[in-house]
Structure formats: C-alpha cells, structure tokens
C-alpha cells in the first residue's frame, strides 16, 4: 500500500482487517485520517501517480501487508520519502518588421519561466512549418492571421503547450496585372484611344482590399479603375502600375508594381526623308523617300505638278521658289496618314572681285580690292585683311579667296598673287678708318646694285670718311642701306712728370684727343681733372682706333706754401720792415684781421682799404708784442677758384 499526503508527512496508518481501495490519481483513492490518500494497493512494483499540483511537496509512506482475507499490515516497519513537483509557465510575444507577405520578418520572443532546465521548444507557425529553438524569426510567404503555438518538452517527458491569443497578422500583397481592355497595346497615331483596366488579384481575407494607381508620366497619375488615354506623339510608352493592400480601409504599404508597354505607331507619312530640303537652283536634285518600315502604299505631290506613287523619287526644279510637298502613305497594319513638308530652291549667288595685281613686293603698301558683293568675306593663305585691303605676307605664291556669305548657296572666287622678296642686305655697322686706312663694303643681295656715286662695284673699297649707301633692285623690288664712316688717329696719352704741390693747393691736369673718351683713375670722365691728394694718377684715352694710358705721381709738401707770412716787423721809422704784409704766389687777398692779446680787433682790411698793417690802432701806435691775425685769400687754378684761411701771429717789435 502507498499512502501520499500533500504538504506534510503521512500521519495515519491503515487498520488491520480493513480493506482499502487505491487509485493512482491523487485524492481519488480512500482517505485514511486527514489527507492521507491510498494511491496504490497492489502487488506490482511501480505505478504512475497523477493529479499532482505544481510547486508542491508530497510525502509518501509505503506499507507492506499480507493481502489475506483478514489483512495484516506491517505498520512497525514502513518506508517513507518525499518529493516536490516541478513547474513551468509557457508564454511568448512577437514583433513584426514589415507586415507584408514575402518581405516580413517576425521575431518570436520566448517568455517561458520554469523551475527546471533542459526544455526543448517547438514553434508551430500555422503556415505548415515549425521551428525548434528558444527564440526564433520567421518570414511568412502568404498573407493571413496565424495563431502560433509554443510546445515545451521537458527532458523527463512531460509536455506542455501554449497558444498566443493574438494572431500574427500578415498583410497579403496584391499581384498587379494591368491590361488594355481591348488588347490593343499597339495603335496608330491617328485616332489612338487606349482603355486601361486591371485584373489584379489579392488573397481573400476579411477587411482586405487593394487600391490601384496608374502612372502615365511624372506629372500624370490616376487611381480610377479604368482610365482612358490618347497620345499626340508616336513612341513606346511604359505605363506604370502600382497596387496597394488596404486593411480596414487604411493603406498598409504592401504594394506590388509593374508596368504595361504600349506603342503609338508613327504616322506612315512621317518617314519623309529628303537629301537636302534647301538647295541652290543650279544643279539642284531633290531625292524624296519614305523610310518608315513596312509601308504598302505611297503617293507624292511635288508641288510643281509632278506626282508619283513610288516609294522614292528624284526630282529637279526649273525655277527658284518654295514648294509644298504632300505625301500620303499606308502601313501594313492599316495606319494611313498625310503629311506636308516644304522645300526651297534658292537662287545662286556670284562672287568676284578686282584690283589684285599678279605680283607685288614684300612688305609693300596695302592693296585695295573691289568685291562685287558687299556681303562677301576675304581670306588669304598668307597676309592679313583690314576690310577689303590686303597686306601681303612673306614671299611666295599665295591664294586670295572671296566668299559671298549665304546660308545655303555660297559662292567663292580664288586668285593668286606672287609676293616678290625684297633684296634685303646690310652694309654693316657705322665704323671708323684709323690712321689713314681703308675698308671693303660688300652687298650680299641679288639684283642690280647702285651706289650713291652711281657705281655698281661689289665690293667697294672706301678710303675716306663720309656717308655711303647702296641700292639693290630685284625685279622692281628694291632695298637700300646706309653706312657712316669716320676717320680717326690712334690715341696717345701724356701727363706731366711727377711733381709736388703745396698742402691745400690744386694741380690741374689736362688731356685732350679728338673724338676720344678721357677717363681718369679717380673715375672722372673729362678732359680736365683737379687733384690735391698725394698719390699715383693715370689717364686713359680711348677711341675707335685704340686706347692709350699715362701715369704720374703727385707729392704734397707739409704746410701751406702758397703764401709767405712774416713772423715779425719793426715799425720804427728806419725804413726797414715798417709794415706787416702777407705775400703769395698767384693769390688774391680777401681779408686781414689783427687782434691784440685781449682779443680786441686792432686792424681790419675791409675798413682800412689796405692789406698792410703799420702797427697802429685808431691812429695810435700799438705796444710791442704778439698779435694774432686771420688772413683769407683765394687762388685760381685753371677754371677753378680755391678759397683758404690762414691763422697765425706776428711779433711787433719797437
């Protein structure tokens, strides 16, 4: 016998002689005492206990008995144990990214809690597929409402399941299919009318419908079921079409796009091809053709009474003018049309000009040309134009072209002109004949030579100075050049011998030579130089015939030697040294002032009118002693004047 009690140990035992009925569902068997239930009473070794609550501990007591008519229970020796039941709570949630079929992604998140591990999860997705795993993602390929079930399989065998009451809603995507209602996706341009509709399908689900949108161009769309369109231009048109699922009359974003290709067939007469719609009258030849493919009938009216039913025709017009071309054609699918074009036959222009000589000299004056048409334009292979005046280029044969500017029938005239090269030459640079020499002058150009003296020798020997020119004539084109020739002597230089001058004096050096450059060693460029410092001085004389140099040395004595001031005088009436006077060489006295020992002015030549002092002041004789003085003078050296001041003292002796 097995007794089981919930929550606490078994606290009652069977009574001998009493028979008890056991049942493997807890609380279904006989109860002994309070809460002690007989769950098994048999001779086998195992049974399966059912009807237990989760998260609950159960206590078990096993009692052995003899099973006879008068049952005897061995209550003195029983076996007891307890066990706790496990628990699991299944739950999950989901999120949907893009609810449209084929592009959706559903993420299932497992929220199950349990008191044990080792659980295997199986998701039944209700679209005929299942997946194993704790958390999964899934894409539904078809719209619908999917009630997903999660099944848990613990490792010890019991299975539980949970079905979410919120279904996964996947929006069905419509399958777009636009059509032309009459199947006429190709129509002729004339009278074309396209009637559009659609046979779009969508899975039949509650509250689901679709809305279509037609796109005829960037700025032309429509949502009506059966739009009608006509086209004014031929071509292939792609009609865009989009259908979108609406749920509960609201857009879902689940769309399907496609397009319908239609063709507007050009007018059969639109294939008119003309080799040149504007031609000049002279030699005009118009080629008319219709290059539209698959034509079965043609008709041409060329505007001058000429008609034809050929596909192509060549025609020339006898008069200038504008002609209306009427063409009709029919295609193999029955499209018919008429088209009108215009062609023009232009009168020819004539280009000509006069005034161009056959030959001119190089670098000659501009040549005026006289065109017959003021609208023409001149050009040349060489040279330039200023208006209608042509300035020639280098020597050679060149083409002058005159074009009458007309958009369709221009005309041109070309004439040749020969530019004769001038016999250019040079007699050379102006030069100098030295010391009675001579030189040969050569003319290097071809032609007839004429010198200024009428001769034609080449080369010409020249012995004298002068201006010489030569002229060369070559087929009427001439060139003249001139050379100036001077005569000169090879220069020489001559300076004075080495000499001395007094301190403060100037020495005037002169060096001359005709048509020569005189350069002194101190940098002066002149025929005359003044020197006053000691040293070596040189002069260089240069002309076209050569260079000459001379050198001299100048010494300068200590002290001034231009004047000779006395140191004493005796104004005592004996007729000797009666006055004080300063003498000099080539000098001119300017002033003399004499002072006494106290610095008082006792003599001034400016007021006295004399440069001699007789030893008195204000008519009274001066006492014996030294008298300082200031003497100013000037000295002329060549064209220069040097002024000097001398200070000294003279002793007056009585």
């Amino acid at each position: 016998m097995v007794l089981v009690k919930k929550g606490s140990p078994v606290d009652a035992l069977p009574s001998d002689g009493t028979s008890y009925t056991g049942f493997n569902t807890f609380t279904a068997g006989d109860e002994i005492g309070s809460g002690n239930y007989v769950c098994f009473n048999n001779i086998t070794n195992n049974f399966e206990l059912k009807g237990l609550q989760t998260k609950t501990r159960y206590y078990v007591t096993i009692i052995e008995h003899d099973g006879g008519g008068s049952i005897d229970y061995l209550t003195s020796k029983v076996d007891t144990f307890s066990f706790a039941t496990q628990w699991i709570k299944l739950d999950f949630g989901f999120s949907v990214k893009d609810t449209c079929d084929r592009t959706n992604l559903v993420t299932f998140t497992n929220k199950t809690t349990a008191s044990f591990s080792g659980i295997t999860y199986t998701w039944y997705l209700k679209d005929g597929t299942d997946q194993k795993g704790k958390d999964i993602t899934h894409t539904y390929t078809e719209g619908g409402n999917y009630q997903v079930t999660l099944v848990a399989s613990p490792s010890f065998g019991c299975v539980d399941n949970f079905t979410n009451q919120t279904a996964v809603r996947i929006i069905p995507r419509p399958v777009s299919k636009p059509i032309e209602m009459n199947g006429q996706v190709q129509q002729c341009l004339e009278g074309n009318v396209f009637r559009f509709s659609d046979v779009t399908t969508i899975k039949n689900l509650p509250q689901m419908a679709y809305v279509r949108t037609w796109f005829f161009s960037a700025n032309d769309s429509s949502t009506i079921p059966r739009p009608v369109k006509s086209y004014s231009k031929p071509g292939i048109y792609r009609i865009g079409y989009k259908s979108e699922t609406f749920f509960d009359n609201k857009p879902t974003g689940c769309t399907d796009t496609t397009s319908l290709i239609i063709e507007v067939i050009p007018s059969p007469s639109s294939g008119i091809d003309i080799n040149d719609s504007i031609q000049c009258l002279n030699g005009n030849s118009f080629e008319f053709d219709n290059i539209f493919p698959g034509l079965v009938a043609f008709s041409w009216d060329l505007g001058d009474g000429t008609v034809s039913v050929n596909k192509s025709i060549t025609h020339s017009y006898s008069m200038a003018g504008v002609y209306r071309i009427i063409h009709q054609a029919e295609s193999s699918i029955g499209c018919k049309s008429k088209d009108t074009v215009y062609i023009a036959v232009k009168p020819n222009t004539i280009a000509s000009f006069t005034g161009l000589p056959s030959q001119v000299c190089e670098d000659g004056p501009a040549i005026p040309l006289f065109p017959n048409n003021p609208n023409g334009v001149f050009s040349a292979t060489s040279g330039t134009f200023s208006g209608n005046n042509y300035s020639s280029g280098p020597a050679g044969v060149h083409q002058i072209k005159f074009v009458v500017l007309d958009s369709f029938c221009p005309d041109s005239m070309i004439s040749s002109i020969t530019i004769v090269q001038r016999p250019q030459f040079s007699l050379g640079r102006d030069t100098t004949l030295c010391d009675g020499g001579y030189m040969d002058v050569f003319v290097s150009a071809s032609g007839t030579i004429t010198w200024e003296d009428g001769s034609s020798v080449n080369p010409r020997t020249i012995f004298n100075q002068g201006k010489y020119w030569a002229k060369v004539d070559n087929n009427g084109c001439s060139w003249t050049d001139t050379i100036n020739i001077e005569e000169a002597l090879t220069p020489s230089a001559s300076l004075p011998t080495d000499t001395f001058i007094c301190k403060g004096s100037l020495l005037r050096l002169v060096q001359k030579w005709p048509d020569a450059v005189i350069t002194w060693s101190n940098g002066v460029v002149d025929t005359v130089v003044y020197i006053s410092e000691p040293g070596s001085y040189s002069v260089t004389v240069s002309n076209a015939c050569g260079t000459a140099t001379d050198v001299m040395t100048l010494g300068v004595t200590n002290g001034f030697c231009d004047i000779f001031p006395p140191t004493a005088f005796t104004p005592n009436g004996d007729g000797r040294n009666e006055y004080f006077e300063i003498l000099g060489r080539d000098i001119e006295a300017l002033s003399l002032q004499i002072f006494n020992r106290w610095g008082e002015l006792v003599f001034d030549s400016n007021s006295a009118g004399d440069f001699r002092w007789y030893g008195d002041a204000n008519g009274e004789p001066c006492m014996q002693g030294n008298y300082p003085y200031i003497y100013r003078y000037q000295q002329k050296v060549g064209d220069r004047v040097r002024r000097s001041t001398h200070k000294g003292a003279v002793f007056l002796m009585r």
Side-chain angles (χ1 to χ4, degrees):
M1 176 183 290
V2 177
L3 293 178
V4 180
K5 185 175 183 178
K6 181 179 75 173
S8 61
V10 173
D11 56 4
L13 295 175
S15 300
D16 289 338
T18 302
S19 176
Y20 298 94
T21 301
F23 200 80
N24 65 344
T25 297
F26 184 64
T27 72
D30 291 340
E31 182 179 11
I32 301 177
S34 176
N36 303 294
Y37 292 97
V38 179
C39 293
F40 179 77
N41 191 5
N42 209 327
I43 61 173
T44 59
N45 293 327
N46 59 74
F47 73 98
E48 180 179 321
L49 182 60
K50 300 179 180 180
L52 303 178
Q53 296 179 353
T54 61
K55 297 191 295 183
T56 304
R57 178 164 291 279
Y58 291 89
Y59 292 86
V60 179
T61 297
I62 301 173
I63 306 166
E64 190 175 357
H65 64 89
D66 58 7
S70 177
I71 300 174
D72 184 13
Y73 294 94
L74 183 59
T75 58
S76 61
K77 187 178 181 180
V78 298
D79 193 7
T80 62
F81 67 91
S82 67
F83 65 89
T85 56
Q86 303 295 329
W87 59 271
I88 183 171
K89 182 180 180 181
L90 290 177
D91 191 15
F92 68 86
F94 64 87
S95 61
V96 183
K97 181 179 180 182
D98 183 358
T99 58
C100 302
D101 63 15
R102 300 190 301 276
T103 57
N104 62 87
L105 182 64
V106 185
T107 299
F108 293 95
T109 303
N110 197 328
K111 299 180 180 180
T112 297
T113 55
S115 61
F116 55 91
S117 58
I119 304 172
T120 298
Y121 296 97
T122 302
W123 301 81
Y124 292 92
L125 303 169
K126 301 304 174 65
D127 63 348
T129 65
D130 60 77
Q131 283 183 244
K132 293 186 180 298
K134 185 175 183 296
D135 300 315
I136 66 168
T137 60
H138 184 65
T139 296
Y140 288 91
T141 60
E142 188 175 333
N145 297 319
Y146 298 93
Q147 205 88 24
V148 177
T149 297
L150 175 63
V151 175
S153 301
S155 57
F156 39 78
C158 55
V159 176
D160 197 3
N161 64 80
F162 171 74
T163 300
N164 197 321
Q165 297 304 308
T166 302
V168 179
R169 177 180 291 116
I170 302 301
I171 305 299
R173 192 186 301 271
V175 179
S176 296
K177 190 174 182 180
I179 61 171
E180 206 286 328
M181 292 180 62
N182 300 315
Q184 296 178 353
V185 294
Q186 285 184 317
Q187 297 186 32
C188 301
L189 177 62
E190 286 74 15
N192 72 88
V193 177
F194 291 88
R195 304 180 186 279
F196 298 104
S197 184
D198 73 281
V199 288
T200 299
T201 59
I202 187 173
K203 186 176 181 179
N204 187 16
L205 292 176
Q207 297 180 285
M208 298 289 181
Y210 75 90
V211 173
R212 87 278 296 149
T213 304
W214 302 87
F215 299 95
F216 301 105
S217 66
N219 300 313
D220 185 9
S221 63
S222 176
T223 58
I224 64 176
R226 293 180 175 82
V228 177
K229 296 290 292 184
S230 295
Y231 293 87
S232 60
K233 294 181 180 180
I236 295 177
Y237 295 88
R238 180 182 294 274
I239 310 302
Y241 177 87
K242 180 181 77 172
S243 58
E244 180 178 4
T245 302
F246 272 54
F247 174 72
D248 197 17
N249 291 324
K250 295 179 181 179
T252 64
C254 295
T255 63
D256 186 38
T257 60
T258 185
S259 61
L260 175 65
I261 304 299
I262 65 169
E263 182 180 5
V264 179
I265 300 172
S267 299
S269 60
S270 64
I272 295 177
D273 180 68
I274 306 174
N275 60 335
D276 191 350
S277 61
I278 301 177
Q279 298 185 32
C280 302
L281 179 60
N282 292 347
N284 76 87
S285 179
F286 291 85
E287 297 176 2
F288 301 99
D289 194 5
N290 190 330
I291 61 174
F292 195 94
L295 299 182
V296 296
F298 309 89
S299 173
W300 296 93
D301 182 345
L302 301 184
D304 64 346
T306 303
V307 294
S308 175
V309 293
N310 295 325
K311 178 178 180 295
S312 59
I313 182 173
T314 300
H315 185 64
S316 296
Y317 292 86
S318 60
M319 298 179 61
V322 176
Y323 295 89
R324 183 176 67 171
I325 310 302
I326 302 174
H327 176 61
Q328 298 183 67
E330 180 180 351
S331 67
S332 59
I333 64 173
C335 294
K336 298 179 180 180
S337 65
K338 177 191 293 186
D339 202 359
T340 300
V341 296
Y342 292 86
I343 58 99
V345 179
K346 303 281 288 184
N348 289 83
T349 57
I350 299 175
S352 65
F353 65 93
T354 59
L356 183 69
S358 61
Q359 177 177 300
V360 295
C361 296
E362 184 181 24
D363 300 325
I367 304 169
L369 302 181
F370 305 97
N372 73 318
N373 191 318
N375 296 322
V377 176
F378 282 103
S379 63
T381 56
S382 179
T384 59
F385 272 94
S386 176
N388 296 333
N389 296 316
Y390 172 62
S391 297
S392 62
V397 179
H398 302 294
Q399 305 294 323
I400 306 300
K401 186 176 183 179
F402 179 66
V403 177
V404 175
L405 300 176
D406 187 89
S407 301
F408 301 98
C409 300
D411 191 31
S412 63
M413 173 183 173
I414 298 177
S415 292
S416 297
I417 183 171
T418 300
I419 310 300
V420 179
Q421 184 177 22
R422 291 190 183 275
Q424 298 185 25
F425 65 91
S426 174
L427 297 178
R429 295 181 178 179
D430 295 345
T431 187
T432 301
L433 297 177
C434 297
D435 303 322
Y438 66 92
M439 67 177 295
D440 290 333
V441 180
F442 181 74
V443 176
S444 60
S446 299
T448 302
I449 302 173
T450 303
W451 292 92
E452 86 289 340
D453 62 356
S455 66
S456 60
V457 296
N458 191 27
R460 181 180 178 184
T461 303
I462 298 175
F463 296 92
N464 302 311
Q465 68 178 11
K467 183 175 182 180
Y468 298 87
W469 58 263
K471 179 180 180 181
V472 176
D473 185 279
N474 179 25
N475 294 324
C477 297
S478 62
W479 185 267
T480 301
D481 194 32
T482 302
I483 185 171
N484 291 313
I485 298 178
E486 304 288 340
E487 290 182 293
L489 297 175
T490 302
S492 65
S494 177
L495 292 178
T497 58
D498 298 345
T499 187
F500 285 88
I501 62 173
C502 298
K503 181 179 180 181
S505 297
L506 293 174
L507 178 62
R508 183 172 182 262
L509 299 179
V510 179
Q511 183 68 62
K512 294 184 179 181
W513 195 267
D515 300 322
V517 177
I518 313 298
T519 305
W520 300 90
S521 57
N522 60 1
V524 175
V525 180
D526 201 351
T527 58
V528 179
V529 70
Y530 295 88
I531 58 176
S532 61
E533 299 296 328
S536 178
Y537 294 88
S538 66
V539 65
T540 300
V541 183
S542 301
N543 68 6
C545 294
T547 300
T549 303
D550 195 16
V551 180
M552 69 159 291
T553 301
L554 175 67
V556 179
T557 60
N558 291 328
F560 292 93
C561 58
D562 296 328
I563 61 175
F564 308 102
T567 59
F569 72 105
T570 58
N572 53 10
D574 62 359
R576 300 173 59 187
N577 294 323
E578 292 295 329
Y579 55 86
F580 170 67
E581 183 181 15
I582 297 176
L583 302 177
R585 296 179 298 183
D586 301 323
I587 68 171
E588 178 185 355
L590 299 176
S591 70
L592 174 62
Q593 293 177 316
I594 301 175
F595 306 88
N596 61 20
R597 72 172 83 180
W598 296 284
E600 297 172 340
L601 183 67
V602 298
F603 177 80
D604 187 352
S605 62
N606 291 328
S607 58
D610 194 358
F611 290 96
R612 293 178 179 180
W613 182 46
Y614 291 90
D616 57 354
N618 298 322
E620 297 293 331
C622 294
M623 61 187 316
Q624 180 175 296
N626 274 320
Y627 286 85
Y629 63 85
I630 300 175
Y631 180 66
R632 294 181 174 88
Y633 65 95
Q634 66 183 19
Q635 184 181 37
K636 188 174 183 181
V637 181
D639 57 351
R640 295 198 177 184
V641 175
R642 179 177 63 85
R643 292 187 176 186
S644 300
T645 299
H646 174 67
K647 295 180 180 181
V650 64
F651 187 76
L652 189 155
M653 184 180 296
R654 292 290 183 186

